Amino acid sequence: MELTSHTSHSTVKPKTKWEKTKIKLFRGRQLYLFVLPAFLVTLIFSYIPMYGVIIAFKDFIPSLGIWGSPWVGFKHFQRFFDSYYFWDLIKNTLGISIYSLAVGFPLPIILALALNELKDGRFKKFTQTVTYAPNFISVVVVCGMVIAFLTPSTGIINHLLDFLGFERISFMTDPKWFKTVYVLSGVWQGTGWGSVIYLAALSGVDTQLHEAATVDGATRLQRIWYINIPTIIPTMVILLIMNVGSLMSMGYEKILLMQNALNMDSSNVIATFVYKQGLLDAQYSYASAVGLFNAAINAFLLIVVNKISRKVSETSLW
């Protein structure tokens, strides 16, 4: 009997890795089905088109197609690196991006901490509505408003400067003002919406911590510093990594709408350059090479900052 029992147990085969995977997939089938549409959209519109990046290493001729066009190696990259406008594009792109990060990153945090301290009521709802609303205004409308407000002859800002005894300023034609106008208009539009993520993180703070701190005599600022801010630090780190990882990725739409011949020295960035070279001048291979260089820099920054964050704060994207 003992021999028979031993033999029957020894015939049971352990589950293979593939079988375990199938079991996990079956158990989580509803969650995977929920994620499937987003996965397909990303795959179809973000990953499959990436094969077209090879035209950066070719002299692309539309009639010959991607595979029929002749290979030229790093010709277009070398052309971009040797161009007289290379360092100007890098300087302008980094200048606007770092300026936007330095001013725009901390403001949503400050706003979220301030809104979190307000009691629920009409004033809090009104404040949230006012700060969130600009995010839903299109870029075209925002740029139109900026240009209208800053016009030297009829703009409300210059009327205010004139009333206060200052000289009128031609903001949109002076290169030294372009970065400030671009960044501040972006801060006005995006600060309220950016604070939503931090407010969601603050909603997870245990109220008993605040009650205990209040009993111990902690002031409101002390409770914000020692309870609220440590709670949102992981969120802050993740968003900072993502922002630094897209430091060179600037949308060309807003800059293009605010750009003119007089402020070109400050407004000509890689994104607008790629748009003009690729779509307006039909230099597809050259524009692809510049865009690929830009993407490679972003990927490098993302990996480096993520590793630094993992070592310093033990918070990272992966």
Side-chain angles (χ1 to χ4, degrees), residues 71-134:
W71 288 93
V72 294
F74 292 95
K75 169 187 171 183
H76 301 298
F77 294 92
Q78 192 64 42
R79 173 187 168 189
F80 179 59
F81 297 152
D82 293 339
S83 61
Y84 69 91
Y85 43 74
F86 173 77
W87 289 112
D88 289 335
L89 291 174
I90 297 295
K91 181 184 69 175
N92 291 337
T93 303
L94 286 177
I96 295 176
S97 297
I98 294 174
Y99 193 175
S100 299
L101 183 63
V103 176
F105 183 76
L107 289 181
I109 302 172
I110 297 172
L111 179 62
L113 292 171
L115 290 174
N116 188 63
E117 294 300 313
L118 293 177
K119 296 181 180 180
D120 291 332
R122 292 184 178 180
F123 179 72
K124 183 175 183 179
K125 293 179 180 178
F126 174 76
T127 305
Q128 288 177 314
T129 302
V130 170
T131 55
Y132 295 171

Side-chain angles (χ1 to χ4, degrees), residues 36-47:
L36 183 62
F39 171 77
L40 291 177
V41 169
T42 304
L43 178 67
I44 294 171
F45 294 102
S46 298
Y47 283 92

Side-chain angles (χ1 to χ4, degrees), residues 15 19 42 44 64 83-84 87-88 99 110 153 155 181 188 198 206 210 245 250-251 262 265 281 286 290 306 315:
K15 289 184 175 65
E19 289 175 340
T42 304
I44 294 171
L64 297 178
S83 61
Y84 69 91
W87 289 112
D88 289 335
Y99 193 175
I110 297 172
S153 57
V181 172
W188 170 76
Y198 297 106
D206 191 351
H210 283 282
M250 302 175 58
L262 297 177
D265 290 343
D281 297 341
Y286 184 48
V290 178
N306 188 70
T315 301

Side-chain angles (χ1 to χ4, degrees), residues 282-295:
Q283 299 189 44
Y284 305 114
S285 294
Y286 184 48
S288 297
V290 178
L292 181 58
F293 164 76
N294 196 36

Side-chain angles (χ1 to χ4, degrees), residues 303-315:
I303 293 171
V304 170
V305 174
N306 188 70
K307 286 187 176 181
I308 294 174
S309 175
R310 188 192 307 164
K311 292 182 178 179
V312 174
S313 64
E314 298 182 356
T315 301

